[in-house]
Amino acid sequence: QSALTQPASVSGSPGQSITISCTGTSSDVGGSKLVSWYQQHPGKAPKLMIYDVSNRPSGVSNRFSASKSGNTAFLTIFGLQSEDEADYYCSSFTASSTWVFGGGTMLTVL
Amino acid sequence: EVQLVESGGGLVQPGGSLRLSCSASGFTFSSSAMHWVRQAPGKGLEYVSGINDNGHTTHYADSVKGRFTIYRDDSKNTVYLQMTSLRTEDTAVYHCVKDRSGHYAFDYWAQGTLVTVSS
């Protein structure tokens, strides 16, 4: 199972919006409603930000939004804040009944 | 409050074995699937293994299939990862993760325990 494809890095200024893409295949992202996104600050454990493509767990800011089109999922962060600077990973449940992660995207808030 | 505490990491020689443990509290452990996800130094997340709530269904990444075994003891609220035939490429921080039931997502992560495979 190959890793999902994410951009290595994205950046934005405070207050701006950014979007991170996550591209897979019809065997994972394209064929699944079970796409999730995780935020990881340096030295910390990952945190669930989005599940089931676009749902936010309780406590996650509504500045985080996600969607999917075909084989690509998207995470958008509105109104960037300094605390959003972190690594972001997408994940999908696959047709092989296992999970696959993206390679991760480093978000820099300028 | 959900708490996941791992133990068992350390240094092991190639070909050796190690067992990781993850003790859980703050939720109904017996009703929750559990997973292990690893992260090699400076690298991204990699799914390793998972077990469903009743222990009858397990999942493994191809990279560990046949070498790693996941199991659980609900009387101890603990999930284990038995690792054998370890390779240098298994070096990573191993996170114990609680499943978000019914959603195939990982909603609570332990801090992780470092496994180093080196001679």
Side-chain angles (χ1 to χ4, degrees), chain B residues 68-86:
Chain B
F68 289 12
T69 302
I70 188 171
Y71 61 101
R72 61 191 297 156
D73 184 342
D74 288 353
S75 69
K76 296 181 178 180
N77 281 7
T78 299
V79 61
Y80 302 93
L81 186 67
Q82 178 68 51
M83 304 184 293
T84 63
S85 302
L86 283 161

Side-chain angles (χ1 to χ4, degrees), chain A residues 47-91:
Chain A
K47 174 186 176 183
L48 176 66
M49 304 301 285
I50 297 286
Y51 66 95
D52 291 356
V53 175
S54 59
N55 292 326
R56 282 188 310 277
S58 174
V60 172
S61 171
N62 59 8
R63 297 186 298 105
F64 291 82
S65 179
S67 62
K68 191 186 81 162
S69 178
N71 293 339
T72 300
F74 301 93
L75 174 70
T76 299
I77 308 175
F78 297 95
L80 271 179
Q81 299 179 1
S82 57
E83 60 260 36
D84 299 333
E85 187 163 289
D87 293 328
Y88 291 84
Y89 295 90
C90 60
S91 177

Side-chain angles (χ1 to χ4, degrees), chain A residues 19-26 28-33 35 37 53-54 66-75:
Chain A
T19 296
I20 300 171
S21 61
C22 168
T23 301
T25 68
S26 58
D28 38 65
V29 174
S32 176
K33 296 181 180 179
V35 178
W37 289 88
V53 175
S54 59
S67 62
K68 191 186 81 162
S69 178
N71 293 339
T72 300
F74 301 93
L75 174 70

Side-chain angles (χ1 to χ4, degrees), chain B residues 9-96:
Chain B
L11 174 64
V12 61
Q13 292 188 335
S17 299
L18 211 57
R19 189 183 76 165
L20 305 183
S21 302
C22 174
S23 178
S25 62
F27 63 100
T28 306
F29 181 78
S30 59
S31 297
S32 184
M34 298 294 295
H35 306 272
W36 291 92
V37 175
R38 69 186 181 185
Q39 188 167 28
K43 302 297 184 182
L45 302 173
E46 181 187 15
Y47 185 78
V48 175
S49 183
I51 187 167
N52 74 337
D53 54 356
N54 63 21
H56 292 169
T57 300
T58 56
H59 306 276
Y60 296 96
D62 288 343
S63 57
V64 307
K65 203 170 292 184
R67 300 187 299 122
F68 289 12
T69 302
I70 188 171
Y71 61 101
R72 61 191 297 156
D73 184 342
D74 288 353
S75 69
K76 296 181 178 180
N77 281 7
T78 299
V79 61
Y80 302 93
L81 186 67
Q82 178 68 51
M83 304 184 293
T84 63
S85 302
L86 283 161
R87 306 166 180 167
T88 55
E89 56 264 36
D90 294 319
T91 294
V93 171
Y94 285 71
H95 296 278
C96 170

Side-chain angles (χ1 to χ4, degrees), chain A residues 1 34 36 38 40 43-46 48 51-52 57 89 91 93 97-99 101 103, chain B residues 35 37 39 43-47 59-60 62 95 100 103-107 109-111:
Chain A
Q1 183 71 52
L34 304 171
S36 51
Y38 303 86
Q40 186 180 33
K44 301 294 186 181
L48 176 66
Y51 66 95
D52 291 356
Y89 295 90
S91 177
F93 189 65
S97 294
T98 187
W99 284 259
F101 283 94
Chain B
H35 306 272
V37 175
Q39 188 167 28
K43 302 297 184 182
L45 302 173
E46 181 187 15
Y47 185 78
H59 306 276
Y60 296 96
D62 288 343
H95 296 278
R100 188 174 184 91
H103 298 283
Y104 295 78
F106 311 115
D107 68 353
W109 296 64
Q111 187 61 26

